[in-house]
Amino acid sequence: MTMTKKPNDMLLLAGKLLALIMQGVLALVGALLAICIPLILFFQGSINDELISKYGDALEAFPAMRIALLFAVIVAGFALAFVFFGKLRRIINTVGEGDPFVPENAERLNLMGWLGLGIYALTALLSVLALGISDWAKAIEGTEINIDVGIDLQALLLIVILFILARVFKHGTAMREDLEGTV
């Protein structure tokens, strides 16, 4: 039993547009960061020489590998977030079509939960890498980097909610299929 009437909902349109914009921003910034990784590694000697000429020999060597790794982790997180917003757009599409209780949405929500967990883990790794770079940056006069490291309960709650919604959609789809089988 699929619904044929398509809802004309501005919230769905806004959600779809926002998800599309997020995907565009993630792709653009992720591509730029990915381009920077080999450049940082290739020009690390020049960057180091420039920093030493500006700040003196007391400055430790430019942490090119650590910064490249930091950028790689960010790019990986952006890739996961890109897929996350793609799944969200597909869910929004099914709502707009009037039939959100399809098995694919349960799978999408479950994958979004795993993607969220992956992003959360990458964020923890990012914090560790950033702490090491901040120690290096403290030697540069006037540079202060503040990094908050902790447990993000809101992110963990969102991840749990996504896994729960995946089960709700799976159960709702099964109930609808049972109902259709008895009619």
Side-chain angles (χ1 to χ4, degrees):
M1 171 195 282
T2 59
M3 302 174 147
T4 56
K5 184 181 176 195
K6 292 184 179 182
N8 186 9
D9 191 338
M10 291 303 292
L11 183 60
L12 292 179
L13 180 61
K16 197 183 319 185
L17 184 61
L18 183 61
L20 190 60
I21 290 169
M22 288 300 299
Q23 281 188 297
V25 169
L26 289 164
L28 178 64
V29 176
L32 291 173
L33 286 173
I35 290 169
C36 288
I37 294 169
L39 293 175
I40 288 170
L41 295 173
F42 184 76
F43 292 109
Q44 73 183 19
S46 300
I47 295 169
N48 195 49
D49 292 343
E50 183 70 28
L51 288 169
I52 288 174
S53 72
K54 188 169 183 174
Y55 298 105
D57 290 335
L59 185 65
E60 289 182 35
F62 176 67
M65 188 59 82
R66 188 170 279 199
I67 291 174
L69 185 57
L70 180 95
F71 282 10
V73 170
I74 293 170
V75 169
F78 282 8
L80 294 178
F82 183 89
V83 174
F84 181 96
F85 283 107
K87 297 299 178 188
L88 179 61
R89 277 191 316 115
R90 287 184 181 90
I91 291 171
I92 293 170
N93 286 341
T94 63
V95 174
E97 293 164 358
D99 192 16
F101 285 100
V102 293
E104 293 84 10
N105 279 351
E107 294 168 13
R108 289 175 182 135
L109 286 164
N110 194 52
L111 180 58
M112 288 169 69
W114 285 110
L115 290 167
L117 199 57
I119 292 168
Y120 189 83
L122 287 175
T123 303
L125 177 58
L126 195 62
S127 297
V128 171
L129 291 169
L131 282 172
I133 294 169
S134 72
D135 290 341
W136 171 81
K138 286 178 186 175
I140 298 174
E141 190 174 316
T143 302
E144 185 176 332
I145 299 174
N146 295 317
I147 300 170
D148 291 331
V149 179
I151 296 174
D152 185 353
L153 293 177
Q154 290 176 333
L156 290 174
L157 180 62
L158 174 64
I159 292 165
V160 169
I161 288 171
L162 286 169
F163 284 125
I164 291 169
L165 283 174
R167 282 157 182 76
V168 168
F169 270 70
K170 186 176 182 178
H171 187 68
T173 301
M175 287 177 57
R176 187 179 73 187
E177 288 173 358
D178 287 346
L179 181 62
E180 287 175 357
T182 58
V183 175

